[in-house]
Every structure is written in structure tokens, then in C-alpha cells.
Amino acid sequence: MLLAPALLLLVPTQAQAAGYRYWSFWDRSGDRWIYATQGPSTARPSDGDVQGFRFAVSADSSDADQPRGAASFDAICARTPAQDGTKRIALVIDFGTAADAPSGETPPAARSACARVGPDATTAEALASVAKPLRYDTSAMLCAIAGYPRTGCGEQVSSSDDTPTAKDEQDERKDDGSGPSVGLIAGGAVVAVLAGAAVWQARRRRNG
């Protein structure tokens, strides 16, 4: 008898928040993008790797928007010849759409760049060499690339009016994909309640 009230409590929780506005970080594997398992400040790509960044609003890594456009190392780094003692990283930087932009800001056009850096350089160092200025928050979360956006960092966005409502820097670290999101937890709770309802109905039919 408590199943219906439980669902009423859970479903609005997931619907209230559209997600978080942030820069997601991606690795290119063959012809597809894979959400990076570590942040750009710790990732150390190899020569010939392709990595991407996408600014958008998403609830978690499972529904994050991927970088758009061509992502071929040969095309991006065609005019950057190899040099001894360096490595080349192809970077795709997608500033997102107007719908995902903070109020009063217009996203720049997407770009790609070939970063030639030292052999031990991180992705963050490669990015800084081709897309300054970068902006980080106090917990090292990447907030802006090439100065975009001017303000804000991983803020939660309301589904009703698309305005920032809150930020949880520790639990919702979107630069490295760590930790489950609120939406993911709520979704799992709904599935658990529905599964319980099915079992209860089956028992009721057998006993009836």
C-alpha cells in the first residue's frame, strides 16, 4: 500500500533537475568517443591520441553530449610535424549550443587543434598550449576553455527555467566522471520500487 506514495516522492526528485552545466572530457577510440575515466589534469595521453571537450548540460556521464565534428588525428595534426622529444595530441573543443549556454553568453564555434608538448605533459597542459585562458575552481575542476564561459562552474540547472540552482563540487565532479549523480540514484530507486511492486502483485495473485 506504500508503493504509490513512494513513487510520487521519487519521480519528481528526478524531474526537478535537468542536470549540470559543465565541460565533459572524452577520449577517442577508433571511430567513437568514450567518456574519460580521469580528469585532464591527471591524464597523460600518448603521441597520436585524440581527446575532446564538450560544454553542455547533462545529468551524468551516461547522457553527456559528445564533441561534434571530425576527430581524425591525421587531419588535425597534418600541419604539425613530429619532433624528437615531444608528442602531439589532437584536441577537439566543442563549445556547445546556445540552449546550453549560460544566460547572456554565446558559445564560440567549435575548433580543433594539435598540441605539441613534452613527452610527460598532461591533457591539461596540452589544452593550455592551444586554448588559453583556462579557468579552474578551487577543487581543480575545469570551468572554462578559451575563456568560455565567463562565469560559473558545474552549476546545477533547473529543468523548469534553465537557471543555475546549486553546485556540489565534491559529489558531482564532472571533469573526471567520478561518483554517481543525483539523477542516477533516483532512477535506480524508481527501478527498485517498480521491481518490488511486480513481486507484490505476483504474490497477491498466487494467494488469491
Side-chain angles (χ1 to χ4, degrees):
M1 298 300 292
L2 297 177
L3 293 174
L7 283 173
L8 290 175
L9 288 173
L10 287 168
V11 174
T13 300
Q14 187 175 2
Q16 285 172 0
Y20 294 80
R21 182 182 284 124
Y22 69 99
W23 278 102
S24 59
F25 174 39
W26 302 79
D27 291 316
R28 189 75 174 179
S29 177
D31 60 353
R32 64 193 183 101
W33 289 109
I34 299 175
Y35 200 92
T37 57
Q38 56 183 318
S41 61
T42 58
R44 296 185 186 275
S46 302
D47 182 76
D49 283 353
V50 179
Q51 297 183 309
F53 294 85
R54 172 69 187 267
F55 188 77
V57 174
S58 60
D60 51 48
S61 60
S62 65
D63 77 340
D65 292 326
Q66 300 179 0
R68 298 166 295 176
S72 164
F73 176 83
D74 290 339
I76 295 173
C77 289
R79 298 183 180 180
T80 307
Q83 283 186 358
D84 291 341
T86 67
K87 62 182 177 183
R88 295 171 298 162
I89 312 302
L91 298 172
V92 178
I93 306 170
D94 187 341
F95 295 87
T97 66
D100 287 334
S103 178
E105 297 203 46
T106 301
R111 68 171 80 165
S112 60
C114 186
R116 183 160 51 200
V117 291
D120 294 328
T122 64
T123 301
E125 292 171 323
L127 184 63
S129 73
V130 297
K132 289 182 177 179
L134 306 182
R135 177 166 56 85
Y136 293 88
D137 70 1
T138 56
S139 57
M141 181 175 184
L142 179 61
C143 304
I145 297 176
Y148 182 82
R150 294 190 300 271
T151 62
C153 191
E155 66 269 19
Q156 192 176 37
V157 176
S158 165
S159 60
S160 58
D161 57 9
D162 198 37
T163 57
T165 58
K167 179 184 174 185
D168 186 344
E169 295 178 354
Q170 299 303 319
D171 295 335
E172 294 296 338
R173 290 302 306 278
K174 292 300 181 177
D175 60 328
D176 62 3
S178 63
S181 71
V182 173
L184 188 60
I185 293 172
V190 171
V191 171
V193 170
L194 291 176
V199 172
W200 179 78
Q201 291 286 358
R203 290 177 176 174
R204 183 180 179 186
R205 285 194 297 268
R206 287 198 303 269
N207 294 334

